[in-house]
Structures are given as C-alpha cells and as structure tokens.
Amino acid sequence: MKVRGALAACGLEPREARLLLAEATGFSVASVLAHAERDVAPQAGAMFSDWTARRRAGEPIAYLLGRREFYSLMLGVTRAVLIPRPETELLVDRALTQLSDNDQTSTADLGTGSGAVALAIKRHRPRVRVVGTEACAEALEVARRNAARLALAIELRQGRWFEPLAGERFDLVVSNPPYLAADDPHLAQGDLRFEPKAALVAGPDGLEALRAIIAGAPAHLRQGGWLLLEHGLGQDVAVRGLLAHEGFEAVHSWPDLAGIARVTGGKLKS
C-alpha cells in the first residue's frame, strides 16, 4: 500500500491520520506529506491499521502513542494515568510564581499521576524539593519512568493525598485531583471514556477529593504556605469557601485560556 492510499482509507481526519502513519512508519509528518507515493511496509501498515481502528473507536491518541507533551516535557502515559492537558499548565504557572528556587523550599504534588505537574515544577525550579504522592501503584510507576527518563530528581511515594507525608510540612502543596461528579455526562464522552475513573470521579458532587485535600492541608503546610488546586467549571465558589473555612487567606481563583476559573488557591494564615 502507498502512503496516499493508507491515508485515504483510514477514516480519520487528515492531521491525525498523518501523525499516526508517521509514527508507524518512522517517517516524519513532513515526509508523509511530501512522498504520497512511497510504499508502506507491511508491518508498519498493520500497526497503522490497528491504531486507526482504535482511534475510530475513540481511543485517545496519547494512549495509542504512549506519550503526551506537557509544559514542554514529553511524558510517557498509559491508561493507568490521566492524559496531561493544557489547562493544567495553569497550575504549574501558579506554582512557579509561588516558589523560590532554593534548597530550603519544598512542594508536594498530591495525586501526581504521570508526574506531569511535579516534573514540570522540578524542571523550572531545580533546587526545590519536590514530592509526589499517588494512590495507584501503576500510575506511580509511570511517574517513576518519566522522572528517570527526564533525569529529574523528584521523590515519589505511594498513598492517598497526604497519607505518605505524615509529620511533614511544605511551602506549597498542589493538586489536580478528581473533580467530576459520579453522574457527569462527560464521563461517557471523548477521551474520558478511556481514562481511569478513580482519577476523574469524586463523589456525587465532584468535590469529595477537594474537600479532603483542603481539610488536610493545614497540617502539612508551613506558616504562610500555599495550597493550589485545579478544579472544574463552576466549582471555584465552593473551593474558595472551603479554603476560607479552613483558615486560608488571600484566597483567589485564576482563569485558564478559555476564561474558565480553573485554579483556586490560598495562603495558610501565619
């Protein structure tokens, strides 16, 4: 089969088709475009056929290729972890604003998943001590592989939220926890159908994980330390209220590029 024929027959939109064919063949995307009459080797053609069938069924390209770029880092991903999304880069932006790059500063990333947030922070604040916690052993292994491949020295511990951090306090705690309600219709749509439900769903109202993290944070923050949380559309008012109730000040929400309040945080009163 020729490149042109493979692309025409696959049933995907052209950009996705070119990306998958380039990956299967080892050609660049530019080469796929420029050499439409090139032969596709049988093994590459079989791989491309498998991938396009799975993509037509809705499987995310990040899982097909096993990677996704986040904050200029190429991260390995599997179906044990959420796919890192551009919206979450705002959480990293806000974290970097709060962190001085010195070896006396520490931060914890709760529910680290692939390690995306923790590794992005470490890349840009290399002297800061970064600890990631994760309840899922398979997800934690993904984070470990990413840290090793990127040569970024973060500490990774298994456990839910603050459980692996007994007796420790940090200058900053960040988290992108589950925040969808159990009956959220989006769970049956798009990429979410393939992602781990434990990393998406947080009780009947979507606030269960956020409540737990906010309640536990004062015992794990130094005086004046910050807690920064990603959350869903329309949850900013509730999250600000929870932070105020737990004694946080300077509580504020920040919008993502779509103008949606996406990250909310506050400073523990001194």
Side-chain angles (χ1 to χ4, degrees):
M1 180 181 292
K2 305 289 186 183
V3 165
R4 186 190 306 278
L7 293 174
C10 73
L12 298 182
E13 64 96 4
R15 183 187 62 83
E16 290 188 350
R18 292 192 294 267
L19 176 62
L20 292 176
L21 186 58
E23 185 71 18
T25 59
F27 305 157
S28 67
V29 173
S31 181
V32 167
L33 281 168
H35 301 286
E37 299 307 317
R38 179 182 287 178
D39 287 325
V40 176
Q43 185 175 359
M47 181 181 294
F48 179 65
S49 179
D50 174 61
W51 282 348
T52 54
R54 289 161 63 187
R55 181 60 185 149
R56 288 194 302 272
E59 189 169 346
I61 284 182
Y63 288 157
L64 295 176
L65 301 185
R67 64 178 186 269
R68 171 60 67 88
E69 185 178 352
F70 177 82
Y71 221 86
S72 299
L73 299 176
M74 188 57 70
L75 300 171
V77 295
T78 73
R79 290 179 67 163
V81 300
L82 288 182
I83 299 168
R85 288 172 168 79
E87 295 85 352
T88 303
E89 294 190 352
L90 175 62
L91 183 61
V92 178
D93 289 339
R94 299 313 312 172
L96 296 177
T97 298
Q98 296 298 333
L99 288 171
S100 300
D101 191 19
N102 65 73
D103 54 15
Q104 302 301 310
T105 303
S106 61
T107 184
D109 173 30
L110 309 184
T112 196
S114 66
V117 171
L119 291 166
I121 291 172
K122 187 66 175 178
R123 168 60 62 86
H124 291 274
R125 297 290 185 270
R127 297 176 63 192
V128 169
R129 176 181 174 234
V130 180
V131 181
T133 71
E134 173 56 56
C136 173
E138 291 181 4
L140 201 63
E141 183 57 30
V142 174
R144 287 196 178 102
R145 290 198 299 267
N146 282 326
R149 185 174 47 78
L150 294 167
L152 293 171
I154 62 173
E155 299 174 38
L156 293 166
R157 304 181 191 175
Q158 187 174 359
R160 185 170 178 80
W161 311 138
F162 292 105
E163 286 176 359
L165 304 175
E168 295 184 66
R169 291 182 181 267
F170 298 84
D171 298 286
L172 172 70
V173 171
V174 298
S175 184
N176 174 22
Y179 51 72
L180 294 181
D183 61 353
D184 192 311
H186 293 95
L187 292 166
Q189 301 170 12
D191 291 355
L192 298 187
R193 293 173 294 162
F194 296 84
E195 294 183 275
K197 292 298 184 285
L200 293 168
V201 176
D205 62 357
L207 294 170
E208 191 175 274
L210 288 158
R211 288 192 191 97
I213 292 168
I214 293 169
H220 294 279
L221 283 168
R222 293 172 180 159
Q223 287 190 345
W226 276 80
L227 174 63
L228 294 170
L229 300 162
E230 180 172 333
H231 52 73
L233 174 67
Q235 292 178 328
D236 54 304
V237 174
V239 174
R240 288 197 298 272
L242 291 166
L243 287 166
H245 182 266
E246 291 295 337
F248 286 86
E249 59 187 5
V251 174
H252 188 77
S253 297
W254 293 270
D256 61 20
L257 293 176
I260 296 168
R262 180 65 61 184
V263 171
T264 295
K267 178 182 178 182
L268 189 66
K269 290 180 181 178
S270 301

